[in-house]
Amino acid sequence: MKILVTGGTGYIGSHTVVELLNNGHEVVIVDNLSNSKRTVLKRIFEITGKNVSFIKADITDRKAIDQVFEDHQFDGVINFAGLKAVGESVEKPIEYYYNNIAGMLVLLDAMRAHNCFNLVFSSSATVYGTPKTVPIKEDFPLSTTNPYGTTKLYIEGILRDLYASDKRWNIAILRYFNPIGAHPSGKIGEDPNGIPNNLAPYVLKVLVGKLPIVHVYGNDYDTPDGTGVRDYIHVCDLANGHLLALNKLFQSSGLFTVNLGTGRGYSVLELISAFQAAANKKIPYEIVERRLGDVAVCYADPSYAKELLGFETKFTLNDMCRDAVRWQMENVDGYPNE
Ligand code: NAD
Ligand code: UFG
């Protein structure tokens, strides 16, 4: 099948492209490179021995996106393109709403105009807001606490309205929990701009001496060690979830929403400790104030993804840390510029 992957040079996109290529799909990537580098393409080739077509374009650019659909006949689209920094979204709501929502609308309109109705969308566990209980099921109430999360919630609503209006659409809404790790080859991984907001990339920067110390945001939560608990999922398991979702869309029509997580939560201190073991090195940390907007505990009930897609995670927390450490050690400054 021929798949358009928007945001395909990004962290999750690049790992999914590898998975698609390894499973015989043809891939075209569209990315504006606002948060990724061209070098990723070379690395994807080194891993898979296969080339992908790359078009540098912005998904909000209707003319450019139309041209992509004129030039290629796609069987499906995976939309990873989006801005994702929670704090930045509070500072720049217009940019976030415009990029994520207008971009999605342009893509949907171009897909319809070119008779392509199979879509996989990157949503997030952030749409569950502050969950009342865990594990989190797909039918739990939805709410958000920041503009980034709201873009995901609104897009989910748009996709449901679209499906209600026209049953030619086949749509998979995938709610990711906390992707970490890297491809076991060490050639592709997460390469955030500036100081990372998320825990795993922050710990990795401390590990390679780029940052002095990890700040642990609070140890007075109602959790076994007082620090926040999350469902960390290996990015390669997550990538596989996209392949399974696409296969489902090709086999049967409809709209479905699934959690992609492991079903198991780990605390901040447990994650730091797993990184220390993987790197065989002490990682300095200090407890600081809670971060505004953080929830205490968040982990998935992955049973619907298993039932519907046959999705099961294979990688352990130690695997995630080992692969992330390998990526960071072999790419201390992230991807080089081309
Ligand atoms: P990323 O920033 O590494 O990848 C996103 C890619 O999209 C980047 O390469 C960026 O250059 C590109 N992009 C952004 N806006 C674009 C536009 N208007 N046109 C074309 N390209 C554009 O992020 P990621 O971690 O790989 O996340 C991928 C998707 O998954 C995002 O939609 C994100 O919101 C969602 N998600 C991520 C996480 C996470 O923790 N990483 C969790 C839940 C959901
Ligand atoms: N944390 C620290 N120190 C840090 C960073 C994070 O202690 O420097 C803690 C947080 O308080 C939290 C845990 O580590 O308890 C995980 O935090 P992350 O920032 O790594 O991840 P979040 O769960 O806050 O959010 C991430 C993405 C969201 C997404 C969500 C669910 O940033 O966009 O996962 O997928 F919605």
Side-chain angles (χ1 to χ4, degrees), residues 3-301:
I3 313 297
L4 170 62
V5 182
T6 63
T9 43
Y11 174 45
I12 306 169
S14 56
H15 289 81
T16 304
V17 168
V18 166
E19 188 77 12
L20 290 169
L21 293 172
N22 283 342
N23 283 275
H25 294 288
E26 198 184 330
V27 175
V28 175
I29 294 177
V30 165
D31 200 298
N32 65 3
L33 300 179
S34 59
N35 198 35
S36 54
K37 295 202 178 116
R38 264 180 207 274
T39 326
V40 173
L41 301 166
K42 215 170 83 194
R43 299 290 181 88
I44 290 173
F45 179 78
E46 285 170 18
I47 295 171
T48 63
K50 290 176 186 156
N51 275 310
V52 287
S53 306
F54 174 73
I55 299 146
K56 185 180 176 201
D58 195 296
I59 59 161
T60 62
D61 180 345
R62 178 63 204 254
K63 228 171 124 205
I65 296 304
D66 260 331
Q67 192 58 51
V68 173
F69 279 89
E70 295 285 320
D71 295 344
H72 302 270
Q73 183 129 32
F74 295 113
D75 298 293
V77 175
I78 308 181
N79 181 20
F80 292 106
L83 300 175
K84 62 163 187 177
V86 171
E88 186 184 57
S89 80
V90 178
E91 310 290 322
K92 299 180 176 173
I94 295 179
E95 283 81 353
Y96 271 68
Y97 286 120
Y98 186 74
N99 192 75
N100 293 5
I101 299 180
M104 184 77 255
L105 290 173
V106 165
L107 205 52
L108 291 171
D109 203 29
M111 287 176 71
R112 181 178 56 177
H114 294 86
N115 283 310
C116 176
F117 292 100
N118 294 316
L119 171 73
V120 178
F121 173 64
S122 304
S123 189
S124 165
T126 193
V127 299
Y128 294 114
T130 306
K132 288 220 164 57
T133 56
V134 282
I136 301 170
K137 284 181 176 295
E138 287 82 354
D139 61 0
F140 273 26
L142 304 178
S143 69
T144 60
T145 52
N146 57 74
Y148 163 70
T150 310
T151 68
K152 295 296 179 193
L153 197 57
Y154 284 0
I155 293 172
E156 286 200 4
I158 290 167
L159 296 178
R160 282 188 282 273
D161 287 344
L162 186 62
Y163 178 67
S165 75
D166 183 346
K167 294 290 184 289
R168 286 176 300 173
W169 285 97
N170 293 312
I171 300 175
I173 296 173
L174 306 182
R175 293 183 180 148
Y176 313 154
F177 280 69
N178 290 54
I180 66 167
H183 191 268
S185 65
K187 290 184 185 295
I188 56 172
E190 189 170 14
D191 181 21
N193 282 329
I195 296 178
N197 301 302
N198 298 117
L199 180 61
Y202 200 105
V203 170
L204 289 164
K205 294 275 177 211
V206 172
L207 190 68
V208 293
K210 299 270 169 190
L211 289 169
I213 191 165
V214 179
H215 301 121
V216 175
Y217 297 140
N219 66 349
D220 55 353
Y221 286 105
D222 185 14
T223 62
D225 65 19
T227 65
V229 168
R230 295 292 182 275
D231 186 340
Y232 297 100
I233 175 171
H234 195 297
V235 66
C236 292
D237 275 331
L238 192 66
N240 177 246
H242 291 75
L243 194 76
L244 297 174
L246 263 185
N247 289 344
K248 183 76 186 171
L249 292 182
F250 293 145
Q251 282 159 13
S252 55
S253 55
L255 177 147
F256 61 85
T257 305
V258 294
N259 288 338
L260 292 182
T262 66
R264 164 97 216 252
Y266 288 96
S267 74
V268 174
L269 295 183
E270 284 176 310
L271 188 72
I272 293 175
S273 166
F275 269 117
Q276 288 186 152
N280 197 19
K281 198 172 161 186
K282 191 121 188 74
I283 298 167
Y285 70 84
E286 63 178 346
I287 310 291
V288 299
E289 287 292 289
R290 288 183 178 193
R291 182 171 65 178
L292 210 68
D294 274 349
V295 301
V297 183
C298 173
Y299 59 89
D301 179 336

